[in-house]
Amino acid sequence: MKTITKAAAVCLGGLGAWCLLLRPRRGQPGWEALGNIRYAHRGLHDVGQGRPENSMAAFRAAVEGGFGAELDVHLMADGNLAVVHDSDLTRVCGKKVLIEDLTAADLKDYPLQGTRETIPLFEDVLTLFEGKTPLVVELKVERGNANALTDAAMAMLRSWNGTYCVESFHPGALLRLKEKYPEVIRGQLSQNFMKDGEVNGLALPTRFLLTNLLTTAFTRPDFIAYNWKDRGNTSLRLMKRLYGVHEVAWTVRDRETMELLDGDGVPSIFEKFVP
């Protein structure tokens, strides 16, 4: 009987510690302007219509449709910020080069997905959205540049007249936001990294930590942007039940799923259809 009681106490203690690790930041003002918007994933893209992902044409279409947009930001060799998803440009530009090795002057030579559109600068996208619909800005950390990338993005965002939040898969970017830019609404991106084998060079312990949102204790995000297919994750459910953390769902590709998420009060990052 004593053994059973001790085991139960250990289990309860472990659960309590787990819950403490999952505490987000609560009550940060500004979510109201972000939480009732649908966000076009990498802009309202349709390459068949000449609007490749993360292009100015795709972002213009999002604004015209009354949608917010999610976009990806990389730090280039000259300190400028490029809006493109992949570090390796093979998929989107057909050229084997890393965006981190390019400069702003190079971008004109990198057409997107066979169209006339080229990789835009972050400052140009901000100009387009200024005073219009909100942005979800994803920071793409490469080569350990979490601090430099975050600082460069915030140097533009802090003087920008628009509504936005910042998210990243990399906890280092969120930690920088917490330490230097606490006024900014910040979000942890995640998914079930345990489904497959090694993902993007991530070792098993790292995949476990990220899947279960256990860096939250250090980064204290305002919201969790989780792959909607994996939103049954226990840690995410605990964060919502215990702390009321804001959830954002990605990437939604059909109207039925979006309507289900709407019913749960969860904003969608969508693509492949127009709501």
Side-chain angles (χ1 to χ4, degrees):
M1 187 67 176
K2 288 183 178 179
T3 301
I4 295 175
T5 303
K6 184 176 181 180
V10 169
C11 289
L12 287 173
L15 178 59
W18 188 286
C19 291
L20 286 174
L21 288 173
L22 296 175
R23 285 184 304 160
R25 180 168 65 167
R26 302 174 70 183
Q28 178 69 5
W31 182 256
E32 297 78 10
L34 294 160
N36 296 314
I37 301 291
R38 291 168 171 171
Y39 296 90
H41 187 230
R42 307 175 194 171
L44 196 63
H45 60 89
D46 182 340
V47 71
Q49 298 295 319
R51 305 194 308 269
E53 63 179 65
N54 277 321
S55 67
M56 292 300 292
F59 294 130
R60 280 193 292 271
V63 169
E64 291 166 3
F67 302 113
E70 180 269 355
L71 56 82
D72 309 282
V73 177
H74 287 259
L75 183 62
M76 292 190 292
D78 60 357
N80 280 295
L81 295 168
V83 177
V84 65
H85 182 268
D86 304 354
S87 177
D88 181 342
L89 300 183
T90 302
R91 179 182 67 87
V92 292
C93 296
K95 297 182 180 182
K96 184 68 175 178
V97 65
L98 301 182
I99 188 67
E100 285 77 22
D101 293 330
L102 300 181
T103 67
D106 296 324
L107 296 184
K108 67 182 185 302
D109 299 322
Y110 289 85
L112 290 164
Q113 296 179 288
T115 69
R116 295 182 178 180
E117 295 288 318
T118 55
I119 297 172
L121 290 170
F122 188 39
E123 60 191 89
D124 294 331
V125 179
L126 290 180
T127 298
L128 174 65
F129 277 87
E130 189 154 28
K132 300 184 178 72
T133 51
L135 289 176
V136 176
V137 179
E138 179 180 346
L139 301 180
K140 290 288 192 178
V141 176
E142 299 287 344
R143 302 174 181 172
N145 68 357
N147 288 352
L149 171 61
T150 305
D151 289 347
M154 288 310 308
M156 292 188 176
L157 286 167
R158 293 185 93 177
S159 60
W160 181 60
N161 180 27
T163 302
Y164 69 94
C165 59
V166 181
E167 64 179 15
S168 184
F169 281 101
H170 199 293
L174 271 69
L175 191 59
R176 187 68 166 184
L177 289 168
K178 175 188 171 187
E179 292 173 345
K180 287 198 66 177
Y181 313 100
E183 73 281 5
V184 175
I185 294 178
R186 56 183 183 265
Q188 179 66 60
L189 268 161
S190 195
Q191 64 183 73
N192 186 355
F193 289 105
M194 304 300 291
K195 284 182 177 178
D196 307 308
E198 195 165 304
V199 180
N200 294 328
L202 298 177
L204 179 60
T206 301
R207 289 189 283 123
F208 180 83
L209 288 171
L210 295 178
T211 296
N212 292 294
L213 305 167
L214 296 178
T215 60
T216 295
F218 306 101
T219 60
R220 303 293 298 276
D222 300 294
F223 69 94
I224 303 296
Y226 219 85
N227 187 327
W228 76 266
K229 295 179 182 179
D230 302 328
R231 63 189 297 256
N233 175 268
T234 300
S235 288
L236 176 60
R237 294 175 69 180
L238 281 171
M239 291 181 75
K240 293 187 71 176
R241 182 177 291 272
L242 295 175
Y243 306 117
V245 72
H246 302 299
E247 179 189 1
V248 175
W250 61 272
T251 301
V252 177
R253 295 186 172 93
D254 64 84
R255 186 170 287 103
E256 182 180 5
T257 300
M258 177 175 278
E259 289 174 353
L260 288 172
L261 291 162
D262 285 347
D264 287 344
V266 176
S268 293
I269 296 173
F270 72 92
E271 68 177 7
K272 304 295 186 183
F273 75 105
V274 180

